[in-house]
Structure formats: structure tokens, C-alpha cells
Amino acid sequence: CPTSPTAPLAFTMLQLTRVYMGNSMFRGNASLNGQLSHLLEEHNVTQVLPLEPPDAWARRQSEVIAYLQNFRQLVQLFNKERPTKFTQHLCCHLGCRLFPNGTAQSFYEVTLNRTAFLSFHVPSATWERRWPGELPVAAFAQEQLMKYPITTQDLQYFLNTTCVGILQAQSVRTGKVSGRSRAPLVLGLILGSLALLGMALGIFLCTRGS
């Protein structure tokens, strides 16, 4: 869709994971100001916009693929110890918006089985439970995500500084992507994956496969 001069610029990422009987399926994408920049289908991660040179993108791509393989192996391990016959749907949606007056807003939202599960409060770098009512899994996942700098301070820095910097560079180039925006794009995908891993651990450990 064409953007209005008064509309905010946006950089958003979406990762969807479906877990069923030890199998994991991945889908996702990233977009910069409405343009698709990255695409995730199973273990295939592609750069749609030429934001990184081939050698740099090859390194980033291998990092994401390695994470997905580790995630899949972890789920298989849990399934052998605690077999499950129900499906889990995890969705991570994160990014930032830059408004014409220079203010910015960042967000990170997580749903479990299409219900609000957790959200990341960026100013305080804290995870908050969104699940309606009490749920041990939500409390456990929140506790796990609060333990690690990469899912708290590092994520806060990415959303507040790196993500907003991408949009600031975009705004001054009047539609052309600045070179400064190259490396952080895949960093965001990896951060989303690590947060997802923390929740997966919480879900499988807390439910004990039930």
C-alpha cells in the first residue's frame, strides 16, 4: 500500500512456529516501511531486498538456519521424553514505528494458540503476562525470558536504538535504504528466535507434555 507523508515509517518482523508431535514448522517475514525484506519458510531464509552484500548475508543466513535446526532438535528431544498429541502455535510480532514528529514506538507481542500470551515492555526491558487468568506456563515463560540479557537488555537496545535507527536512515534517504540498516535486520530475526526458544522451554517443561 502507498504510504502517506503523515504515516509512520515501520520495521516489523513476524515469526510463526507450529509444533505437533515432535515436529516444528516455521514461517515468517520481515518488512521495512511496507516492503518485504526477508522471508522465512521452514529452513529457507531469504533476503528479498538487497540489504546486505552476498558474503555478509551468507553469514547471517547460516546463523538463522543453525538456530532453526537446534530448535527442531530440542522439540524432538522433549517429545521423546514427554510425547504430546496436541498442537502448539507460537507467534512473535515485533518491530518499531517512527512518526513524522520524530517520536518512536517499539513493541514485541507474543501469542500462544492465537491468544495473547506475553508482551515486552520496552522502556523497562521487562516481560509482562497477557494471558487471561492464571496460567503456570505463562509465569514460567516470563521467568525464563527475564533471566537472560539477550531477551531483556539486548532486545530493548535492538527495539529502541537499532530498529529506530533503521527507520531514521530510511526517512532521510527518501525511500532509499541506507547502508547502516544492513546488519541489524537479521539480528532482529535471531532475537525473536531466542525469545521463542525461551517460551518453548517453558511450555514443554511446565506442561510436562499434558
Side-chain angles (χ1 to χ4, degrees):
C1 299
T3 57
S4 166
T6 59
L9 298 176
F11 174 54
T12 60
M13 289 169 288
L14 180 69
Q15 180 175 350
L16 306 172
T17 300
R18 178 177 180 267
V19 178
Y20 176 69
M21 294 183 67
N23 298 311
S24 305
M25 293 188 294
F26 308 103
R27 291 188 297 119
N29 61 70
S31 62
L32 178 61
N33 196 27
Q35 289 185 298
L36 184 66
S37 60
H38 295 82
L39 189 63
L40 170 64
E41 289 286 349
E42 290 300 325
H43 280 150
N44 297 318
V45 186
T46 56
Q47 181 179 232
V48 180
L49 294 179
L51 302 178
E52 291 189 283
D55 56 341
W57 168 244
R59 291 192 298 270
R60 306 291 179 187
Q61 188 180 40
S62 65
E63 291 174 357
V64 176
I65 292 174
Y67 159 74
L68 295 173
Q69 291 173 340
N70 291 336
F71 183 98
R72 180 164 286 173
Q73 291 171 359
L74 181 64
V75 170
Q76 290 172 346
L77 175 63
F78 275 115
N79 188 69
K80 288 181 180 179
E81 296 183 356
R82 300 167 183 155
T84 59
K85 294 183 179 180
F86 58 91
T87 301
Q88 297 277 24
H89 294 274
L90 292 173
C91 173
C92 291
H93 182 220
L94 66 153
C96 61
R97 304 179 184 95
L98 179 65
F99 296 89
N101 62 4
T103 61
Q105 180 187 43
S106 301
F107 64 94
Y108 196 130
E109 302 163 346
V110 181
T111 62
L112 170 64
N113 297 331
R114 301 178 179 87
T115 300
F117 186 58
L118 295 172
S119 66
F120 185 67
H121 186 253
V122 181
S124 61
T126 56
W127 287 92
E128 300 176 345
R129 277 174 277 171
R130 296 300 182 193
W131 191 271
E134 296 295 327
L135 181 69
V137 173
F140 191 92
Q142 178 191 35
E143 178 185 353
Q144 292 299 309
L145 289 171
M146 288 299 300
K147 286 183 177 181
Y148 308 104
I150 198 167
T151 52
T152 51
Q153 290 91 350
D154 291 358
L155 183 56
Q156 180 191 48
Y157 181 86
F158 172 76
L159 292 171
N160 265 347
T161 305
T162 307
C163 185
V164 174
I166 292 171
L167 297 178
Q168 289 171 339
Q170 174 81 353
S171 65
V172 300
R173 294 301 181 94
T174 62
K176 295 182 179 179
V177 179
S178 168
R180 290 185 301 168
S181 68
R182 291 175 177 171
L185 293 175
V186 178
L187 171 62
L189 290 171
I190 295 171
L191 286 173
S193 298
L194 288 170
L196 188 63
L197 174 60
M199 285 183 296
L201 284 170
I203 290 167
F204 282 94
L205 287 174
C206 194
T207 61
R208 295 182 180 274
S210 63

